[in-house]
mmCIF file of all heavy atoms in Angstrom:
data_model
loop_
_atom_site.group_PDB
_atom_site.id
_atom_site.type_symbol
_atom_site.label_atom_id
_atom_site.label_comp_id
_atom_site.label_asym_id
_atom_site.label_seq_id
_atom_site.Cartn_x
_atom_site.Cartn_y
_atom_site.Cartn_z
ATOM 1 N N ALA B 343 11.013 -8.246 -29.275
ATOM 2 C CA ALA B 343 11.631 -6.962 -29.561
ATOM 3 C C ALA B 343 12.577 -7.083 -30.696
ATOM 4 O O ALA B 343 12.734 -6.155 -31.585
ATOM 5 C CB ALA B 343 12.359 -6.425 -28.301
ATOM 6 N N ALA B 344 13.354 -8.229 -30.701
ATOM 7 C CA ALA B 344 14.363 -8.366 -31.740
ATOM 8 C C ALA B 344 13.719 -8.785 -33.171
ATOM 9 O O ALA B 344 14.292 -8.591 -34.151
ATOM 10 C CB ALA B 344 15.338 -9.432 -31.392
ATOM 11 N N GLY B 345 12.577 -9.320 -33.079
ATOM 12 C CA GLY B 345 11.874 -9.791 -34.324
ATOM 13 C C GLY B 345 12.446 -11.004 -34.887
ATOM 14 O O GLY B 345 12.354 -11.273 -36.155
ATOM 15 N N ARG B 346 13.196 -11.833 -34.039
ATOM 16 C CA ARG B 346 13.727 -13.106 -34.542
ATOM 17 C C ARG B 346 14.071 -13.900 -33.330
ATOM 18 O O ARG B 346 14.050 -13.568 -32.122
ATOM 19 C CB ARG B 346 14.905 -12.871 -35.392
ATOM 20 C CG ARG B 346 16.066 -12.101 -34.640
ATOM 21 C CD ARG B 346 17.174 -11.975 -35.616
ATOM 22 N NE ARG B 346 18.142 -10.982 -35.322
ATOM 23 C CZ ARG B 346 19.296 -11.313 -34.600
ATOM 24 N NH1 ARG B 346 19.594 -12.514 -34.200
ATOM 25 N NH2 ARG B 346 20.222 -10.355 -34.328
ATOM 26 N N ARG B 347 14.416 -15.068 -33.589
ATOM 27 C CA ARG B 347 14.716 -16.083 -32.571
ATOM 28 C C ARG B 347 16.047 -15.690 -31.914
ATOM 29 O O ARG B 347 17.030 -15.168 -32.527
ATOM 30 C CB ARG B 347 14.895 -17.510 -33.182
ATOM 31 C CG ARG B 347 13.683 -18.059 -33.895
ATOM 32 C CD ARG B 347 12.535 -18.239 -32.980
ATOM 33 N NE ARG B 347 12.709 -19.445 -32.155
ATOM 34 C CZ ARG B 347 11.821 -19.944 -31.320
ATOM 35 N NH1 ARG B 347 10.687 -19.276 -31.230
ATOM 36 N NH2 ARG B 347 12.084 -20.952 -30.570
ATOM 37 N N VAL B 348 16.089 -16.082 -30.728
ATOM 38 C CA VAL B 348 17.426 -15.870 -29.917
ATOM 39 C C VAL B 348 17.781 -17.191 -29.282
ATOM 40 O O VAL B 348 17.033 -18.170 -29.330
ATOM 41 C CB VAL B 348 17.215 -14.807 -28.703
ATOM 42 C CG1 VAL B 348 16.702 -13.496 -29.343
ATOM 43 C CG2 VAL B 348 16.242 -15.223 -27.571
ATOM 44 N N ARG B 349 19.059 -17.280 -28.711
ATOM 45 C CA ARG B 349 19.431 -18.499 -28.059
ATOM 46 C C ARG B 349 19.022 -18.301 -26.591
ATOM 47 O O ARG B 349 19.529 -17.416 -25.858
ATOM 48 C CB ARG B 349 20.968 -18.597 -28.157
ATOM 49 C CG ARG B 349 21.459 -18.958 -29.492
ATOM 50 C CD ARG B 349 22.944 -18.930 -29.514
ATOM 51 N NE ARG B 349 23.371 -19.356 -30.860
ATOM 52 C CZ ARG B 349 24.035 -20.538 -31.199
ATOM 53 N NH1 ARG B 349 24.326 -21.364 -30.219
ATOM 54 N NH2 ARG B 349 24.424 -20.736 -32.442
ATOM 55 N N SER B 350 18.096 -19.096 -26.137
ATOM 56 C CA SER B 350 17.637 -19.008 -24.739
ATOM 57 C C SER B 350 18.329 -19.931 -23.892
ATOM 58 O O SER B 350 18.339 -21.217 -24.127
ATOM 59 C CB SER B 350 16.098 -19.363 -24.864
ATOM 60 O OG SER B 350 15.534 -19.439 -23.507
ATOM 61 N N LEU B 351 18.944 -19.457 -22.843
ATOM 62 C CA LEU B 351 19.577 -20.243 -21.846
ATOM 63 C C LEU B 351 18.614 -20.407 -20.682
ATOM 64 O O LEU B 351 18.666 -19.487 -19.783
ATOM 65 C CB LEU B 351 20.954 -19.671 -21.406
ATOM 66 C CG LEU B 351 22.077 -19.666 -22.363
ATOM 67 C CD1 LEU B 351 23.403 -19.060 -21.825
ATOM 68 C CD2 LEU B 351 22.403 -21.124 -22.766
ATOM 69 N N THR B 352 17.877 -21.503 -20.484
ATOM 70 C CA THR B 352 17.018 -21.548 -19.457
ATOM 71 C C THR B 352 17.614 -22.444 -18.342
ATOM 72 O O THR B 352 18.426 -23.294 -18.443
ATOM 73 C CB THR B 352 15.741 -22.305 -19.948
ATOM 74 O OG1 THR B 352 15.975 -23.638 -20.328
ATOM 75 C CG2 THR B 352 15.056 -21.611 -21.054
ATOM 76 N N ARG B 353 17.117 -22.142 -17.115
ATOM 77 C CA ARG B 353 17.673 -22.802 -15.953
ATOM 78 C C ARG B 353 16.619 -22.828 -14.851
ATOM 79 O O ARG B 353 16.127 -21.837 -14.357
ATOM 80 C CB ARG B 353 18.862 -22.197 -15.435
ATOM 81 C CG ARG B 353 19.462 -22.804 -14.146
ATOM 82 C CD ARG B 353 20.939 -22.535 -13.904
ATOM 83 N NE ARG B 353 21.599 -23.579 -13.525
ATOM 84 C CZ ARG B 353 22.901 -23.871 -13.538
ATOM 85 N NH1 ARG B 353 23.634 -23.059 -14.182
ATOM 86 N NH2 ARG B 353 23.401 -24.997 -13.071
ATOM 87 N N VAL B 354 16.204 -24.021 -14.368
ATOM 88 C CA VAL B 354 15.200 -24.191 -13.282
ATOM 89 C C VAL B 354 15.638 -25.289 -12.319
ATOM 90 O O VAL B 354 14.929 -26.127 -11.833
ATOM 91 C CB VAL B 354 13.834 -24.468 -13.893
ATOM 92 C CG1 VAL B 354 13.222 -23.225 -14.475
ATOM 93 C CG2 VAL B 354 13.788 -25.612 -14.796
ATOM 94 N N ASP B 355 16.898 -25.192 -11.978
ATOM 95 C CA ASP B 355 17.500 -26.143 -10.940
ATOM 96 C C ASP B 355 17.711 -25.480 -9.641
ATOM 97 O O ASP B 355 18.338 -26.208 -8.812
ATOM 98 C CB ASP B 355 18.624 -27.020 -11.524
ATOM 99 C CG ASP B 355 19.843 -26.037 -11.771
ATOM 100 O OD1 ASP B 355 19.680 -24.807 -11.551
ATOM 101 O OD2 ASP B 355 20.965 -26.579 -12.153
ATOM 102 N N GLY B 356 17.354 -24.279 -9.393
ATOM 103 C CA GLY B 356 17.677 -23.614 -8.089
ATOM 104 C C GLY B 356 19.030 -23.075 -8.025
ATOM 105 O O GLY B 356 19.461 -22.536 -6.960
ATOM 106 N N ASN B 357 19.811 -23.166 -9.156
ATOM 107 C CA ASN B 357 21.202 -22.653 -9.106
ATOM 108 C C ASN B 357 21.314 -21.381 -10.030
ATOM 109 O O ASN B 357 20.480 -21.162 -10.848
ATOM 110 C CB ASN B 357 22.195 -23.732 -9.577
ATOM 111 C CG ASN B 357 22.334 -24.726 -8.436
ATOM 112 O OD1 ASN B 357 22.608 -24.497 -7.234
ATOM 113 N ND2 ASN B 357 22.111 -26.023 -8.797
ATOM 114 N N HIS B 358 22.439 -20.715 -9.835
ATOM 115 C CA HIS B 358 22.740 -19.599 -10.723
ATOM 116 C C HIS B 358 23.433 -19.955 -11.915
ATOM 117 O O HIS B 358 24.281 -21.007 -11.898
ATOM 118 C CB HIS B 358 23.528 -18.493 -9.903
ATOM 119 C CG HIS B 358 22.745 -17.827 -8.887
ATOM 120 N ND1 HIS B 358 21.877 -16.730 -9.138
ATOM 121 C CD2 HIS B 358 22.657 -18.047 -7.588
ATOM 122 C CE1 HIS B 358 21.345 -16.284 -8.107
ATOM 123 N NE2 HIS B 358 21.715 -17.063 -7.108
ATOM 124 N N TRP B 359 23.410 -19.136 -12.954
ATOM 125 C CA TRP B 359 24.288 -19.264 -14.122
ATOM 126 C C TRP B 359 25.700 -18.740 -13.564
ATOM 127 O O TRP B 359 25.833 -17.632 -13.250
ATOM 128 C CB TRP B 359 23.826 -18.467 -15.326
ATOM 129 C CG TRP B 359 22.711 -19.122 -16.064
ATOM 130 C CD1 TRP B 359 21.391 -18.655 -16.116
ATOM 131 C CD2 TRP B 359 22.732 -20.254 -16.886
ATOM 132 N NE1 TRP B 359 20.593 -19.458 -16.951
ATOM 133 C CE2 TRP B 359 21.494 -20.491 -17.441
ATOM 134 C CE3 TRP B 359 23.780 -21.142 -17.196
ATOM 135 C CZ2 TRP B 359 21.166 -21.548 -18.317
ATOM 136 C CZ3 TRP B 359 23.519 -22.200 -18.069
ATOM 137 C CH2 TRP B 359 22.196 -22.381 -18.501
ATOM 138 N N SER B 360 26.753 -19.509 -13.873
ATOM 139 C CA SER B 360 28.020 -19.106 -13.610
ATOM 140 C C SER B 360 28.731 -18.479 -14.777
ATOM 141 O O SER B 360 28.277 -18.730 -15.929
ATOM 142 C CB SER B 360 29.005 -20.311 -13.089
ATOM 143 O OG SER B 360 29.332 -21.036 -14.211
ATOM 144 N N PRO B 361 29.727 -17.662 -14.572
ATOM 145 C CA PRO B 361 30.423 -16.928 -15.677
ATOM 146 C C PRO B 361 31.025 -18.054 -16.653
ATOM 147 O O PRO B 361 30.778 -17.791 -17.939
ATOM 148 C CB PRO B 361 31.527 -16.169 -15.089
ATOM 149 C CG PRO B 361 31.010 -15.838 -13.760
ATOM 150 C CD PRO B 361 30.251 -17.136 -13.276
#
Side-chain angles (χ1 to χ4, degrees):
Chain B
R346 61 181 162 95
R347 303 291 291 182
V348 302
R349 288 175 182 248
S350 173
L351 289 182
T352 64
R353 176 159 221 158
V354 285
D355 63 357
N357 290 306
H358 289 277
W359 283 111
S360 74

